[in-house]
Amino acid sequence: MEILFMLIGISIVLALGFLLAFIKAVKTGQYEDEYTPSIRMLLDDHPTAKKPTQSEKNNPSKQKAQ
Amino acid sequence: MYKPVAPTQTLACFHCGTTCGKDLRYFEEKSFCCLGCESVYKFLHAEQLDAYYNLSQHPGISPALELQGKFDYLLEPALADSLFDFKGPQLGNITFSIPHMHCVSCVWLLEKLYALHPAIRHSRVQFALRQLTVTFDHTILSLMELVHLLAVIGYEPEINLAAQEDIARGKASSHDKKLYYQIGVAGFCFGNVMLISLPEYFDWDHSMGLHFKQLFGYINLLLSIPVLLYSARDYFKSALSSARSRMLNLDVPLVAGMIALFGTSAYQIFTQTGAGYMDSFTGLLFFLLLGKAFQQKTYKHLSFERDYKSYLPLSARVVQGDQLTSVPLDLLKAGNRILVKHGEIIPADSILLKGVAWVDYSFVTGESTPVEKTLGEIVHAGGKHQGAAIELEVVKETAASYFTTLWNYGANTKQEEVLDTIANRAGRRFSYFLFTVAIVSFFFWLPDLEQAVMVFASVLIVACPCALALSAPFTFGNAIRILGRNGFYLKNTGVIEKLAKADTLVFDKTGTLTEAQAHAIRYTGDQLSEEESTRFAALFAQSVHPLSKSLATHLGSVHRAVEGFHEQQGLGIEGIVEGSLLKAGSLRFITGQQEETLLLYTRVYISAEDRVLGYFELSSKFREGLERFSSAMAGYHFAVCSGDQPKDKGTLEVLLPAATEYRFGQLPGQKRSFIESLQHDGKHIAMIGDGLNDAIALKSSDVGIAVSEQAGHFSPACDSILDARRFHQLPEFLKFSRLSVRLVYACFAISAVYNLTGLSFAVQGQLSPVIAAILMPLSSITIVLFTTISTNVIASKLNLNQ
């Protein structure tokens, strides 16, 4: 039963990790815009036939396949 | 009475969805209502952005006419630079307020701005605020060109002081995260404490041994400390300040409960006489903070606190010889010669030097008819000019204009009232009850001091008004969201109580009871054939006078060629349409005779080939649903307080209840006096208005409702904003507010049941941690469920189901 000491300790540390992640999320603006991401998520990103910029010309792996 | 027939063709514009009229055009088998819409379509189609039209039905916005040169004031480097969020040597960041965005397609297109110009690197929409942030290369594309691009596709940004205020406010509000952190900490501690308390609930700790019991106790204590010191901080502050001001609010019994909980538990853990109530303690704070967050619903894309300056543009066009320069409004001096174009607002009190002005003061004074101003007359700031461009000489700086004094008239009188909410009143009564019971129980058990103290603490613990404290936030939080979905936006949840209390409704007339831009039109005279009415429609379409515009819309705008069009300002118009000479205007213009009697409404006579056919009578168009008001709002006292002339009194007397009070020709100060006199009689006033002339009245009433025709347009400072399209639902909105308040009382009753149950345990000294731990979440969940279901049921019963 002594293992419980360690287990409790580990679980609290784990939960603390979640709390810190939450605080970090709030700090970096996760909850600032609660509406637009819900719209943005549903939009497909069909590539438009725009002229490739210089960096994209040099980096063929970045070009999206149709 | 004969009504001319509108043409039968009804095609919807592919871009914006409005019915195509006289400017109908086709492109690739799609119909468009005007050149603007067609241009936007062509533009988007060329860049392969057709998905715009697939995401929403007719998502387009018709771009404004006359965009050429409209944004030249942005070429001024000082002004342009002040608008940037950040401006580096090459890239710049700027945030625009675009109230016109309304759908998924808008978001999609605005975030695809990079496809429209290579200098645009990135754009991001914040829909709740109706704002767009763009990162672009300002060395290639100037700010003016960027704004022009947005305007061309229909998303013209609002660039005035109001918009700048909104953007600044949006940035500031993003720093208000403390509540989230407090919830996070409370939630974390609550969850872990409950987990650690499980063995105690099920009596497992007996078998586990003493040292585990101790361990669990100390862990609980450790976890509860951050909750006490950080999450509970605002409650302690509020209770302290309320105790100091001798006006007890709901936070006082809450804090008493918190101290009792923490204190008893700490004592029990240290002396190993019990497990403590830390689970109830952390749970209490978690639920309370959630309720607080839920109650804080605000509408960030609206502003309830506009200053008069927000209504005016950022700058004015000053004429110097041949040059036109943009001068910021605060730097405008007396003697400056300014140019004002059609649809623009006069920036300062000035004298008309060149041109004829038709100034629409409906927003400022409530007069529904535009006023004609000729050379040498003073034109006051705040009016909207209609007609050809005019030149004026500034007489008074903007800050000293009549317009400004209107605003500042009532500025000092509004005190910051502390709203004595239902919740606080209930909290007070509850406190007295609670402390009485606690003290009585203490004395009852007194021979046994230890038991007496424990019972005293138990009473405070179990009677902790968690459910009471959650009733108002969740009920009103739900109510404000439901009202918002139905087009009635409240500043905060306190407004619901104010609405429920109101017993007198004071209405402004122009723009509130009437539609600002429309007229009710009646025709008397010879019947017009379809041909004749379309010809007159074409004639009216040539003039920019507000009466002509209304008549053109009424007759159905169809395109016909008009030759020799001539407008005599203020008198009439004439032109040759398909061979016949048509004239329209005042009686004097058409026949040379004067009107015999004083007319109640404006008349526009028409003649063809010098034969008088008849006349149109234009009066204010009252909003739909007005007839229903007297029956639907039977218990209220009505009043109409208007800055306009009494010409519509007859119509109003038919529409509104018999006992309605009428006041016409009211100046803003007189409106305020009227409201104050009613308040003196003990009435609670709800003022419903829309314009600047109502601003002072709105502030002095108990609750102010501003009617708004278009989202994002200026509304004076108020407690709530009502979408003009939902005006007819005003009776339902008021009823909903009253029922919400009654619902809160019902919640109080439910929480009383829980409290009495708990108290029966506590006074007997039988309160175990398990019972406390069950009662509190149970009562909270019951309240939340009950209130959520009830508000939705009430809403659908009142037909508020948007």
Side-chain angles (χ1 to χ4, degrees):
Chain A
M1 276 300 220
E2 280 67 29
I3 192 78
L4 268 175
F5 286 113
M6 198 165 81
L7 285 175
I8 292 173
I10 292 175
S11 80
I12 291 190
V13 168
L14 191 65
L16 207 67
F18 281 115
L19 177 65
L20 292 172
F22 174 72
I23 291 178
K24 181 161 177 241
V26 174
K27 216 174 201 166
T28 54
Q30 172 99 341
Y31 290 94
E32 256 168 48
D33 185 358
E34 288 169 10
Y35 187 69
T36 326
S38 67
I39 299 179
R40 214 177 275 131
M41 201 167 72
L42 297 173
L43 302 177
D44 289 332
D45 199 23
H46 295 301
T48 56
K50 68 178 174 101
K51 303 135 220 135
T53 62
Q54 201 57 31
S55 62
E56 274 177 22
K57 279 201 187 117
N58 298 335
N59 222 341
S61 62
K62 275 209 166 181
Q63 278 176 348
K64 295 184 183 134
Q66 172 52 299
Chain B
M1 259 177 286
Y2 172 70
K3 185 185 174 201
V5 169
T8 46
Q9 255 182 337
T10 43
L11 280 170
C13 175
F14 182 74
H15 178 74
C16 66
T18 53
T19 316
C20 302
K22 70 172 165 77
D23 284 326
L24 170 69
R25 50 213 313 130
Y26 287 97
F27 180 74
E28 287 184 2
E29 288 165 37
K30 297 186 173 67
S31 49
F32 298 96
C33 67
C34 61
L35 179 62
C37 288
E38 189 193 5
S39 312
V40 183
Y41 175 77
K42 280 188 185 162
F43 192 12
L44 298 179
H45 185 66
E47 303 290 343
Q48 302 191 349
L49 293 171
D50 299 84
Y52 180 65
Y53 296 102
N54 296 336
L55 288 165
S56 296
Q57 261 259 356
H58 303 305
I61 301 163
S62 202
L65 311 158
E66 291 186 47
L67 289 174
Q68 204 53 39
K70 188 172 181 186
F71 306 110
D72 285 348
Y73 64 92
L74 291 171
L75 290 170
E76 207 83 15
L79 183 64
D81 287 353
S82 70
L83 296 173
F84 275 89
D85 296 336
F86 168 75
K87 192 174 184 190
Q90 191 190 11
L91 293 180
N93 239 18
I94 185 166
T95 304
F96 293 117
S97 175
I98 305 181
H100 292 307
M101 62 166 100
H102 61 283
C103 64
V104 180
S105 295
C106 304
V107 176
W108 183 83
L109 183 64
L110 288 171
E111 292 196 340
K112 275 235 183 293
L113 226 50
Y114 60 82
L116 292 176
H117 196 288
I120 299 175
R121 297 300 170 85
H122 177 76
S123 53
R124 197 169 181 85
V125 170
Q126 233 275 34
F127 192 77
L129 298 172
R130 304 290 192 277
Q131 285 175 7
L132 173 72
T133 306
V134 182
T135 308
F136 68 108
D137 185 337
H138 62 82
T139 59
I140 300 176
L141 181 73
S142 75
L143 179 61
M144 184 216 98
E145 290 167 324
L146 175 62
V147 173
H148 185 86
L149 174 64
L150 284 168
V152 156
I153 55 172
Y155 292 98
E156 184 179 333
E158 283 238 338
I159 303 183
N160 53 33
L161 277 163
Q164 297 309 105
E165 277 173 13
D166 286 347
I167 293 168
R169 232 171 359 108
K171 296 201 191 105
S173 75
S174 66
H175 298 307
D176 187 21
K177 297 172 183 145
K178 192 168 80 157
L179 186 59
Y180 287 119
Y181 296 141
Q182 286 176 330
I183 292 178
V185 169
F188 161 76
C189 296
F190 174 52
N192 282 292
V193 166
M194 288 228 58
L195 206 61
I196 302 284
S197 303
L198 274 176
E200 204 265 314
Y201 294 158
F202 297 112
D203 261 342
W204 291 337
D205 44 4
H206 284 312
S207 49
M208 284 164 80
L210 195 62
H211 41 290
F212 275 117
K213 254 185 123 156
Q214 262 188 317
L215 173 72
F216 294 157
Y218 281 114
I219 291 177
N220 279 349
L221 184 63
L222 272 175
L223 285 171
S224 304
I225 290 177
V227 176
L228 179 76
L229 296 177
Y230 182 62
S231 300
R233 189 173 282 186
D234 291 330
Y235 289 99
F236 280 97
K237 268 197 226 161
S238 159
L240 212 64
S241 72
S242 109
R244 265 193 222 131
S245 65
R246 303 299 168 92
M247 249 255 290
L248 292 183
N249 64 16
L250 187 55
D251 292 334
V252 172
L254 279 175
V255 165
M258 286 178 208
I259 294 175
L261 275 168
F262 191 83
T264 326
S265 313
Y267 173 76
Q268 285 187 351
I269 290 169
F270 279 128
T271 59
Q272 290 174 40
T273 47
Y277 304 91
M278 288 311 192
D279 43 4
S280 300
F281 174 67
T282 48
L284 169 71
L285 272 159
F286 183 56
F287 291 133
L288 286 175
L289 289 170
L290 280 180
K292 205 187 220 184
F294 191 67
Q295 184 177 254
Q296 274 182 2
K297 169 73 177 171
T298 50
Y299 293 100
K300 294 187 259 190
H301 68 284
L302 298 169
S303 175
F304 297 95
E305 253 124 53
R306 291 270 189 239
D307 188 6
Y308 73 91
K309 278 199 241 152
S310 318
Y311 183 59
L312 300 168
L314 279 178
S315 60
R317 276 186 216 88
V318 173
V319 183
Q320 284 164 335
D322 274 345
Q323 295 273 19
L324 274 177
T325 41
S326 292
V327 176
L329 232 55
D330 343 336
L331 298 180
L332 208 57
K333 296 262 180 294
N336 282 149
R337 195 180 164 112
I338 54 176
L339 176 75
V340 175
K341 291 191 184 172
H342 170 68
E344 293 181 353
I345 295 170
I346 314 280
D349 290 353
S350 13
I351 297 182
L352 188 58
L353 290 178
K354 187 164 144 190
V356 178
W358 281 99
V359 192
D360 177 9
Y361 281 113
S362 58
F363 203 66
V364 182
T365 61
E367 281 173 68
S368 50
T369 346
V371 179
E372 184 195 0
K373 298 282 186 185
T374 48
L375 288 169
E377 283 191 75
I378 288 227
V379 183
H380 288 295
K384 203 180 259 197
H385 164 62
Q386 288 165 331
I390 52 172
E391 282 182 31
L392 312 119
E393 181 179 314
V394 176
V395 166
K396 273 203 206 135
E397 285 148 36
T398 310
S401 64
Y402 171 61
F403 178 93
T404 317
T405 56
L406 267 191
W407 193 271
N408 294 328
Y409 200 102
N412 306 322
T413 52
K414 178 80 164 180
Q415 321 100 313
E416 213 25 80
E417 7 120 353
V418 177
L419 185 64
D420 193 18
T421 59
I422 302 179
N424 284 336
R425 283 202 305 274
R428 259 203 300 281
R429 291 203 193 111
F430 185 82
S431 302
Y432 297 141
F433 169 71
L434 178 66
F435 284 111
T436 315
V437 172
I439 291 172
V440 165
S441 315
F442 179 78
F443 282 112
F444 180 77
W445 286 94
L446 205 45
D448 181 353
L449 183 66
E450 203 182 309
Q451 182 75 322
V453 170
M454 212 210 67
V455 166
F456 181 80
S458 302
V459 168
L460 288 181
I461 287 170
V462 82
C464 185
C466 180
L468 201 76
L470 291 179
S471 308
F474 277 100
T475 311
F476 291 150
N478 247 330
I480 203 180
R481 282 171 173 80
I482 290 174
L483 289 172
R485 285 201 292 269
N486 282 278
F488 188 28
Y489 306 98
L490 307 188
K491 184 160 132 182
N492 55 45
T493 48
V495 178
I496 299 181
E497 288 184 53
K498 291 199 230 178
L499 283 169
K501 244 174 138 179
D503 55 21
T504 307
L505 302 173
V506 177
F507 290 92
D508 167 52
K509 193 192 72 132
T510 322
T512 306
L513 292 174
T514 67
E515 280 179 42
Q517 301 302 321
H519 288 106
I521 300 173
R522 261 187 351 197
Y523 176 71
T524 317
D526 301 345
Q527 263 214 0
L528 293 178
S529 66
E530 196 177 317
E531 265 306 302
E532 286 175 317
S533 47
T534 52
R535 282 189 208 143
F536 274 106
L539 181 70
F540 286 121
Q542 298 295 320
S543 160
V544 103
H545 190 287
L547 293 175
S548 307
K549 285 200 291 201
S550 283
L551 283 164
T553 323
H554 176 78
L555 291 172
S557 19
V558 178
H559 184 66
R560 286 278 191 281
V562 177
E563 291 154 33
F565 178 76
H566 176 68
E567 176 160 0
Q568 262 198 298
Q569 295 283 4
L571 293 171
I573 55 178
E574 61 184 11
I576 301 175
V577 186
E578 292 177 346
S580 42
L581 173 67
L582 302 178
K583 287 191 192 173
S586 64
L587 186 61
R588 229 186 75 189
F589 178 75
I590 304 280
T591 62
Q593 296 165 349
Q594 290 276 39
E595 290 282 357
E596 279 158 22
T597 54
L598 200 60
L599 291 177
L600 209 54
Y601 299 112
T602 316
R603 278 192 196 170
V604 177
Y605 287 83
I606 50 172
S607 73
E609 303 289 339
D610 280 323
R611 187 174 72 91
V612 179
L613 294 170
Y615 59 86
F616 290 97
E617 230 171 10
L618 293 104
S619 54
S620 316
K621 186 168 178 203
F622 283 93
R623 293 201 190 274
E624 278 172 37
L626 215 46
E627 335 70 57
R628 216 174 46 96
F629 275 21
S630 37
S631 52
M633 298 200 278
Y636 287 92
H637 181 66
F638 280 71
V640 173
C641 194
S642 169
D644 200 4
Q645 299 312 308
K647 51 187 195 281
D648 290 310
K649 188 167 178 192
T651 328
L652 281 172
E653 281 175 335
V654 170
L655 289 170
L656 297 176
T660 311
E661 276 186 69
Y662 293 94
R663 297 263 194 289
F664 289 98
Q666 299 281 292
L667 292 173
Q670 290 173 300
K671 287 198 185 194
R672 187 180 66 164
S673 312
F674 177 58
I675 289 188
E676 281 174 353
S677 69
L678 286 172
Q679 283 172 328
H680 199 66
D681 291 337
K683 300 227 189 281
H684 287 106
I685 321 285
M687 168 80 198
I688 302 116
D690 74 300
L692 277 164
N693 60 328
D694 302 314
I696 298 157
L698 283 169
K699 273 195 224 176
S700 48
S701 63
D702 295 285
V703 57
I705 304 175
V707 177
S708 164
E709 290 253 343
Q710 243 191 63
H713 265 205
F714 179 88
S715 290
C718 56
D719 296 303
S720 54
I721 295 179
L722 175 59
D723 188 335
R725 291 168 297 189
R726 303 304 201 112
F727 185 76
H728 60 282
Q729 286 186 299
L730 186 64
E732 277 71 55
F733 291 145
L734 291 172
K735 189 159 186 199
F736 187 69
S737 312
R738 291 198 309 273
L739 289 175
S740 300
V741 169
R742 272 193 232 156
L743 199 56
V744 173
Y745 285 124
C747 289
F748 288 169
I750 295 177
S751 64
V753 168
Y754 277 103
N755 268 324
L756 288 172
T757 317
L759 275 173
S760 64
F761 283 103
V763 293
Q764 292 172 48
Q766 298 287 341
L767 188 72
S768 66
V770 184
I771 297 182
I774 293 175
L775 272 180
M776 201 179 54
L778 199 60
S779 61
S780 308
I781 293 173
T782 313
I783 296 279
V784 172
L785 275 179
F786 172 71
T787 210
T788 309
I789 295 175
S790 307
T791 44
N792 283 306
V793 165
I794 294 176
S796 61
K797 279 236 171 95
L798 289 173
N799 252 330
L800 299 175
N801 23 9
Q802 218 55 18

